[in-house]
Amino acid sequence: MGVVGEGTRASPAPGAAWYTNWLATWTLAVLLFVGRIRDLLWRGRPRPPKGYAPLTDPQSSFYARRIYGRIHDCWNRPIASAPGPWVDVLERESLEGRTRATRALPPTGARRRCLNLGSYNYLGFAASDPYCTPRVLGALSAGGVSPCASRACGGALPVHSELEAMVAEFVGAEDAIAYGMGFATNSASLPVLCGPGALVLSDALNHTSIVAGVRSGGAAVRVFRHNDMRHLEALLRYHIAEGQPRTHRPWKKILIVVEGTYSMEGESPPLAAIVSLKKRYGAYLYLDEAHSIGAMGGTGRGLCEHAGVDPRDVDVLMGTFTKSFGSAGGYVAGSRAVIAYLRRHSPAHLYAAALAPGAAAQVVAALRLMRGEGGGGRGAAKVAQLHGNAHYMRRRLIAMGLHVLGDWDSPVVPVMVYHVGLLGAISRALLRRRVAAVVVGFPATPLLLCRLRICVSAAHSREDLDYALDAIRDVAEVAGIDYARPAGRLWGLRAAARRAAAAAAAALARGGAGGAEGGGHGGGGGTRSASGGGSGAGSWRGSSSSCCSGSASGGEAESEELSAAAADAHSCASSTAGAECCCDEAACACAGARAASC
Amino acid sequence: MRRLTRKACLLAALGLCAVAWSKAAEGPLRRALSFSSLATSLRDVDAGKIIQALQEMRLRPIRQAWAEFWDIFGPGGRLHPDWFIEHQGHLFIEGGLMAIILVLFFQSGYRPSKEQEEEPLTEREIDELCREWKPEPLVPDIAEEDQLPEPPVIQEWENSHWVTVAGRRALNLTAADFLGLSNDPSVAAAARATVERYGVGSCGPRGFYGTFDVHLQLEQDLAAFMGEEEAIIYSYDIATVASVIPAFASRADILVMDEGCSYPIQQGAKLSRARVFTFKHNDAGDLAALLGRIEAEEARERKPLCRRMIVVEGVYSNTGEVAPLRRIYELKERYKYRLCVEETLSFGVMGERGRGACEAAGLEPGQVEIICASMSGALGSVGGFCVGHSEVCDHQRLCGQGYCFSASLPPYLATAAIAALRILGTPDGQALARRVRGAAAELRAALAAGPPGLVLAGAADGPAAASPVVHLHLDPSVESRLGPRPAVAAALQRVADILLQRYGVFVALPRYSVLDEVHPRQSIKLVANAALASEGRVEHVASALREAAAEVLGGSDGGSDGGGAA
Ligand SMILES: Cc1ncc(COP(=O)(O)O)c(C=O)c1O
């Protein structure tokens, strides 16, 4: 995905046409501008007591307050069922009229059964399972809820050693150590492996837990461009030749850290090339298989199997149990010496509560199934089903003209949206169609590379996927994110302009949630929107919404629909936010006019 | 740097050049600003005041010299700037400036600076260097003094108070499930029902459909129990405070920590990159002095107001001592710091309602900004939580790393915690907590004199004795007698083995990581619990400890089975 700095830089997307980039930038600029104006006029955050600095830095929380805050109903949606192929999503009160930008929305009590394209339930172990659940219940009787002590100080149970042995065997390593949390697996193991004097070469898109681990160890870090082997080699050569900064002492060791499947890209690194590089230069390799263990490779043994690399050539194999195995925790597998050292010194082994026995038993049962025990090759069938589903989903999405990222086998299927403003509209529209998918924006991706992320599961049937694809097709058409659909140059330009107008309108409409979610539970939504009627801001609303739809009127039906939705949303914006609305509308009208004139 | 100065010179020269040109070109402006008007006014001054003054001082030669000087440099004089400019003399100035520019230009263009003079390494040389480089092994061999006996494994788990280890059924003094709430049938039933309904894992972070209704319920219950506005749960204990601290402190901010704080706090401080100051362990006087010093320093350097936070543990996991929270609270108010208290080992046990060390110190909910605790303590589950103002929790939902970037707590662990919390809130639960506090105090008092070779950490009575965790440190003199670390560890392990096999008491020997900046003395850790609170058990444990210690650590003369037993 091109050059992406620590995940915060807004770099143009190479896959998108120049005008898409340009217009996406423009939408963002409008949002930022409006946000700044609002910051000037309203505080939007509590005043700290006298003598204290504000609890949050206003500059660093700007994005959260002013952009994420407009669409935060798209995240943190609570569910009330197992995260299986279908979930019960709890509906929440609408976003409109809330004065505190990012405050969690209280649930209304209503539920909506949705197809689950959001959970990391790759192998379908999330819900209760005829093989796993009895074993988990057995472990609960045999080991309690939690030993309430660390593994090193009296919290070790037989199920832990059993789990570690099975993991080591499954991934093909000499030994393994299990922890109670995937994040802590990285953040507590990496500092043990690389302290001061060591150099870490880290992929630009590595997960926060890796960054935290490396940083708390005190090693030097250099970031190489995502999956760019030339850059990695150049860095290796440069740093081995130059040694440590200032002292020019040789580095004690160099650790390359990559992920098996990048969670926002669905891509895997070229593992064979990395292994040959690390062998040539004497570096060590740390592979985070959080998303690839269970999901990649013919029998789910992870990226090594997928790439045909001997797992013993990877020095440290890390993974989590939270994704494919539907449990909690993580592991590190490697040579006996490495694991012994971690057992002696890893803070998550010495200080943290041991992995809950139930969670451990779930992984043991899942690994058993993957190994082919317990009933007719269910494990192998799951992997085959997952890969089939992933291929099917990707193929169909690409055929729809969407920009789809990722490897064919990868269960993570990101669809590029580019416009921040469209994220909220897409997520809400999909939810209305009973599809629970995840949209990801800024902190997780660069500003201009926001996307819709679909996680495919082995538990999805073909009908499920077709259902999702129908909904996605309709929404994608309305939102106009089918960037790869063949279109004349000028046509593409005009469509893009309308898209940007729609995006700006949708983004600036704070009441969008009311429009999107209110539809689902008529009665509750009605009482809220009624209050918006008689305020003085009404005239503003009228003029701006007509302007928005006016800007789109020359075009196809697609963007009309979306801006109509936006106008709807406007007209039910509540009166409490009246003053703020004015400012919104003005900017929105301006955005619409400018975009239409392109 | 040098290049920069050169650039600046060039710019300045160019600027001067431009001024000179404009002087020559613009008639009226030049006249308005010309030197002649300046000079006339100068002469007025000289006529009126200066010459008179000079005459009065009878400094004729000087006056004469001045007059001569004025003939040449004054208006109409040969070297007066006006004349100079009118007779195209400015061309000389410009020529000179041009020359300077050229010199500077050629300098920067043609003479490479020192660091550029070094030839870059050739590919061959880099190849060679790469071949020659010998990396250290990925992990060092475990140093001999770091080698410890295999940690014990629980073979059979009856409940959190009674376990079988190495073939012997024993009272479990390692688990922090103080009240044994996880043994309650309602807790187990809740966990089982949730596993059947929701499966085990949450399969996603809180943001991405990983928020379950039971998480929201647990957060509500925790907030209500603690009397705070809001609570936020994390999926693991050591990730809690390590995520909370960086959410509220960054590079420019100040963190003041007790020097005895445990590793997760140290990690949080490191991740925040804030300026970290430490004060002497549990020494409020030192804290006061430190805060005063920092305030003076900040005022002297006129630093802008930054976020400042004091971080302490309610009960220190490395020593079992209770922090002087009342004093710390007063200091924090005086110096306007926020306070973060890690309550893992005090939550559920200390305080009248079981809210922890802050309550025990007489602090009201809301007075301490941030309280963090593990759910692997009194709640008998897994995970961590943080309570505080809703602003505190809201911000973590955006910035708490372990919250945003990790799968949420398995729902069954959340329902187990909900059930445990429900018991804790009842009068029965509070009575149980009181009994455990009593047992802890009794144990402390019984061990106050210290079994031979062991020293009780922290106070033996008073409010500090309410801590449910008792550390018995090895006496330094015994430690030096025993020799190197492995021998010390082996001796303590023998004490633990005797306690287990002969007396049926299972205790833990804490171990510490190389990453830990605190290096506590080796110790035996006892965690008081509800089973200890029953009739006669405290005395049994205390006498078992005395006897085992006497046997292994013996009298000071080195006899291994001296008559140290009381
Ligand atoms: C690459 C990577 N590593 C580690 C983790 C953390 O795992 P867990 O969710 O089990 O804490 C994640 C989870 O999102 C991940 O994507």
Side-chain angles (χ1 to χ4, degrees):
Chain A
M1 258 327 313
V3 186
V4 180
E6 274 197 278
T8 55
R9 200 136 50 88
S11 59
W18 62 270
Y19 46 82
T20 304
N21 279 327
W22 194 84
L23 289 170
T25 315
W26 171 239
T27 324
L28 187 65
V30 171
L31 284 169
L32 294 177
F33 178 74
V34 173
R36 291 283 169 204
I37 303 256
R38 286 177 149 218
D39 258 14
L40 274 182
L41 300 180
W42 296 278
R43 259 187 86 75
R45 64 212 128 85
R47 211 173 273 283
K50 208 170 144 28
Y52 290 84
L55 196 58
T56 61
D57 174 13
Q59 284 315 312
S60 61
S61 69
F62 174 80
Y63 178 86
R65 282 179 292 120
R66 296 305 185 199
I67 295 186
Y68 168 78
R70 291 172 174 284
I71 47 173
H72 79 93
D73 60 313
C74 301
W75 288 275
N76 301 310
R77 289 185 183 137
I79 63 174
S81 70
W86 287 82
V87 283
D88 285 337
V89 178
L90 292 181
E91 290 183 357
R92 293 183 293 175
E93 286 179 13
S94 97
L95 200 58
E96 70 184 68
R98 306 213 159 250
T99 46
R100 288 180 56 188
T102 56
R103 189 101 182 94
L105 303 165
T108 60
R111 297 174 179 208
R112 182 187 284 258
R113 189 112 185 114
C114 294
L115 181 67
N116 185 359
L117 297 182
S119 299
Y120 305 133
N121 177 23
Y122 301 144
L123 290 178
F125 282 117
S128 85
D129 180 284
Y131 184 80
C132 301
T133 306
R135 284 167 176 74
V136 174
L137 294 178
L140 278 178
S141 323
V145 176
S146 155
C148 293
S150 77
R151 280 286 298 285
C153 293
L157 290 162
V159 69
H160 293 133
S161 347
E162 187 188 0
L163 172 62
E164 287 172 348
M166 289 202 67
V167 167
E169 197 241 83
F170 186 70
V171 301
E174 282 176 13
D175 202 355
I177 178 170
Y179 298 114
M181 182 200 201
F183 188 97
T185 308
N186 276 331
S187 72
S189 303
L190 276 164
V192 181
L193 298 176
C194 50
L199 173 68
V200 174
L201 295 177
S202 170
D203 189 286
L205 298 185
N206 273 346
H207 192 251
T208 316
S209 55
I210 295 175
V211 178
V214 172
R215 214 196 267 171
S216 42
V221 198
R222 300 289 178 275
V223 174
F224 63 91
R225 289 191 288 268
H226 174 55
N227 275 355
D228 185 341
M229 291 305 106
R230 299 253 293 282
H231 192 205
L232 174 59
E233 177 162 19
L235 283 181
L236 274 169
R237 291 172 66 82
Y238 177 81
H239 286 289
I240 295 176
E242 290 290 320
Q244 301 187 29
R246 291 186 41 241
T247 61
H248 293 286
R249 282 199 195 109
W251 294 103
K252 289 185 178 161
K253 58 193 163 199
I254 298 181
L255 186 67
I256 302 170
V257 186
V258 293
E259 289 182 23
T261 294
Y262 291 88
S263 56
M264 297 298 159
E265 322 289 315
E267 295 171 337
S268 298
L271 193 63
I274 296 179
V275 166
S276 83
L277 271 184
K278 78 135 206 148
K279 280 188 177 161
R280 176 141 25 107
Y281 291 100
Y284 299 106
L285 177 59
Y286 184 105
L287 177 63
D288 178 340
E289 296 229 61
H291 289 268
S292 54
I293 191 70
M296 301 296 275
T299 58
R301 284 177 161 74
L303 192 63
C304 292
E305 188 187 16
H306 176 79
V309 167
D310 182 356
R312 312 232 166 177
D313 282 341
V314 180
D315 303 276
V316 187
L317 289 157
M318 175 269 171
T320 64
F321 304 137
T322 40
K323 280 121 197 163
S324 294
F325 303 122
S327 179
Y331 66 85
V332 176
S335 69
R336 263 194 200 95
V338 168
I339 302 305
Y341 195 75
L342 285 173
R343 285 220 171 90
R344 175 62 194 85
H345 287 299
S346 169
H349 191 74
L350 302 178
Y351 306 138
L355 176 61
Q362 161 84 10
V363 185
V364 169
L367 285 174
R368 284 240 157 85
L369 279 180
M370 297 304 291
R371 233 167 42 174
E373 292 168 31
R378 270 184 68 204
K382 274 175 184 286
V383 179
Q385 171 86 9
L386 175 65
H387 289 170
N389 283 352
H391 282 241
Y392 181 72
M393 196 74 179
R394 257 205 185 77
R395 190 154 40 76
R396 291 283 307 274
L397 290 173
I398 291 173
M400 283 178 200
L402 302 176
H403 273 181
V404 182
L405 309 182
D407 295 351
W408 283 100
D409 275 355
S410 145
V412 182
V413 187
V415 175
M416 295 309 294
V417 172
Y418 301 118
H419 289 273
V420 179
L422 287 177
L423 280 187
I426 289 176
S427 168
R428 290 166 195 148
L430 283 176
L431 190 69
R432 247 192 336 251
R433 294 284 305 261
R434 298 184 181 274
V435 173
V438 167
V439 288
V440 273
F442 166 50
T445 71
L447 275 169
L448 292 183
L449 296 180
C450 46
R451 60 199 67 169
L452 167 70
R453 192 184 61 171
I454 294 162
C455 291
V456 177
S457 160
H460 288 134
S461 65
R462 251 330 119 82
E463 293 76 54
D464 291 342
L465 296 186
D466 284 334
Y467 178 84
L469 284 161
D470 270 351
I472 293 169
R473 188 189 48 238
D474 293 349
V475 170
E477 257 175 32
V478 172
I481 56 169
D482 38 2
Y483 301 99
R485 174 177 278 181
R489 204 75 182 143
L490 197 64
W491 251 134
L493 206 71
R494 286 190 54 190
R498 280 195 306 278
R499 191 181 298 135
L508 289 166
R510 266 255 244 174
E517 290 186 7
H521 50 97
T527 47
R528 291 204 123 258
S529 55
S531 66
S535 87
S539 59
W540 277 92
R541 271 187 218 122
S543 65
S544 77
S545 47
S546 67
C547 170
C548 287
S549 39
S551 72
S553 62
E556 300 157 6
E558 46 166 279
S559 52
E560 255 170 14
E561 235 182 289
L562 196 66
S563 44
D568 260 354
H570 280 222
S571 57
C572 65
S574 103
S575 59
T576 48
E580 295 203 2
C581 271
C582 300
C583 155
D584 275 357
E585 318 299 68
C588 153
C590 142
R594 284 302 271 284
S597 69
C598 292
Chain B
M1 207 54 226
R2 269 179 52 196
R3 193 168 277 183
L4 260 181
T5 36
R6 195 173 297 144
K7 289 263 156 64
C9 286
L10 257 170
L11 267 179
L14 273 170
L16 275 174
C17 216
V19 168
W21 268 113
S22 73
K23 266 206 164 313
E26 283 174 49
L29 187 69
R30 193 199 71 201
R31 220 155 294 280
L33 295 173
S34 79
F35 290 133
S36 64
S37 57
L38 206 100
T40 342
S41 59
L42 246 183
R43 217 193 2 210
D44 289 347
V45 172
D46 117 328
K49 301 251 168 71
I50 301 177
I51 295 194
Q52 221 171 24
L54 288 174
Q55 270 175 343
E56 273 164 27
M57 290 161 78
R58 286 161 219 253
L59 294 168
R60 256 159 208 285
I62 292 178
R63 196 187 135 219
Q64 218 153 23
W66 175 250
E68 275 164 22
F69 171 83
W70 199 248
D71 275 348
I72 301 173
F73 288 94
R78 214 162 13 96
L79 289 177
H80 183 259
D82 241 11
W83 185 92
F84 196 61
I85 288 171
E86 267 159 26
H87 291 80
Q88 309 303 318
H90 60 89
L91 287 181
F92 287 102
I93 303 183
E94 283 140 25
L97 289 172
M98 219 45 196
I100 295 176
I101 290 172
L102 282 179
V103 167
L104 287 170
F105 182 78
F106 279 103
Q107 260 192 340
S108 67
Y110 286 86
R111 201 190 298 157
S113 64
K114 257 259 164 65
E115 48 269 34
Q116 279 170 333
E117 266 171 306
E118 254 175 42
E119 294 261 319
L121 293 171
T122 63
E123 289 298 301
R124 282 261 308 280
E125 284 167 322
I126 295 181
D127 279 340
E128 230 163 69
L129 285 166
C130 287
R131 254 196 318 271
E132 280 167 16
W133 179 61
K134 288 270 167 294
E136 287 181 4
L138 181 54
V139 290
D141 282 339
I142 297 172
E144 210 171 291
E145 79 249 33
D146 269 353
Q147 274 169 359
L148 296 176
E150 279 290 304
V153 175
I154 296 174
Q155 289 167 324
E156 262 173 66
W157 183 92
E158 205 167 303
N159 58 42
S160 63
H161 298 331
W162 293 99
V163 294
T164 305
V165 180
R168 174 78 158 87
R169 181 173 181 274
L171 176 65
N172 183 6
L173 296 186
T174 68
D177 181 10
F178 310 107
L179 314 186
L181 295 182
S182 74
N183 305 329
D184 193 275
S186 73
V187 174
R192 299 176 78 87
T194 314
V195 168
E196 274 163 12
R197 183 157 162 242
Y198 286 161
V200 174
S202 63
C203 282
R206 289 290 293 266
F208 302 160
Y209 301 100
T211 300
F212 285 68
D213 48 355
V214 293
H215 292 143
L216 301 179
Q217 180 71 46
L218 176 55
E219 286 177 347
Q220 253 175 32
D221 291 358
L222 277 169
F225 180 81
M226 295 294 282
E228 298 271 1
E229 265 178 36
E230 203 174 325
I232 174 172
I233 54 175
Y234 285 75
S235 55
Y236 211 34
D237 47 7
I238 57 164
T240 306
V241 74
S243 301
V244 172
I245 295 176
F248 297 108
S250 55
R251 222 177 264 278
D253 302 324
I254 294 178
L255 284 177
V256 172
M257 312 190 330
D258 187 291
E259 66 183 7
C261 282
S262 57
Y263 178 77
I265 296 179
Q266 297 166 29
Q267 191 185 22
K270 198 156 185 181
L271 286 175
S272 74
R273 308 192 190 180
R275 292 177 283 158
V276 177
F277 302 86
T278 53
F279 61 93
K280 283 212 195 75
H281 176 53
N282 261 354
D283 185 342
D286 192 49
L287 173 62
L290 176 63
L291 295 183
R293 269 205 308 282
I294 296 174
E295 190 178 48
E297 178 95 340
E298 296 284 294
R300 192 156 49 78
E301 294 184 9
R302 299 233 182 82
K303 290 253 176 78
L305 187 62
C306 64
R307 292 181 288 183
R308 294 164 302 195
M309 188 154 76
I310 301 175
V311 189
V312 294
E313 290 179 48
V315 168
Y316 285 89
S317 65
N318 289 337
T319 58
E321 289 164 285
V322 182
L325 284 166
R326 186 82 229 167
R327 282 279 289 140
I328 293 174
Y329 173 75
E330 283 158 10
L331 287 170
K332 127 196 158 53
E333 285 290 294
R334 187 153 112 230
Y335 289 96
K336 305 231 179 302
Y337 276 65
R338 295 191 171 93
L339 179 57
C340 170
V341 183
E342 148 66 49
E343 293 249 34
T344 292
L345 297 179
S346 45
F347 172 79
V349 189
M350 294 179 64
E352 212 31 58
R353 267 172 289 194
R355 285 175 179 166
C358 290
E359 191 194 14
L363 299 178
E364 295 294 317
Q367 286 186 327
V368 175
E369 281 83 357
I370 303 172
I371 294 179
C372 301
S374 161
M375 294 198 271
S376 299
L379 291 183
S381 182
V382 173
F385 67 89
C386 171
V387 292
H389 298 293
S390 61
E391 196 195 358
V392 166
C393 295
D394 265 359
H395 184 57
Q396 289 176 51
R397 292 183 204 277
L398 297 171
C399 296
Q401 289 190 335
Y403 179 87
C404 298
F405 298 102
S406 173
S408 56
L409 186 69
Y412 88 91
L413 294 172
T415 46
I418 292 173
L421 195 58
R422 200 161 290 149
I423 306 172
L424 195 53
T426 61
D428 281 352
Q430 281 155 18
L432 200 55
R434 216 169 302 126
R435 280 180 52 212
V436 174
R437 280 202 299 277
E442 214 182 307
L443 185 63
R444 253 172 211 283
L447 297 173
L454 294 171
V455 185
L456 177 71
D461 50 18
S467 149
V469 177
V470 179
H471 276 264
L472 291 167
H473 287 255
L474 205 55
D475 192 321
S477 66
V478 178
E479 196 168 348
S480 58
R481 176 162 55 83
L482 284 170
R485 283 251 297 269
V488 176
L492 283 179
Q493 185 63 47
R494 258 212 337 277
V495 176
D497 288 344
I498 293 174
L499 282 175
L500 176 69
Q501 292 301 345
R502 206 174 296 161
Y503 303 98
V505 177
F506 178 39
V507 298
L509 304 177
R511 327 175 151 210
Y512 301 94
S513 162
V514 274
L515 300 176
D516 205 325
E517 278 155 30
V518 183
H519 304 286
R521 297 228 310 279
Q522 299 206 41
S523 65
I524 294 176
K525 184 171 109 180
L526 312 166
V527 181
N529 62 30
L532 187 70
S534 56
E535 210 48 39
R537 289 246 168 79
V538 169
E539 193 32 54
H540 170 71
V541 170
S543 68
L545 262 165
R546 276 192 292 267
E547 281 159 33
E551 183 172 331
V552 178
L553 307 170
S556 49
D557 47 317
S560 62
D561 42 19

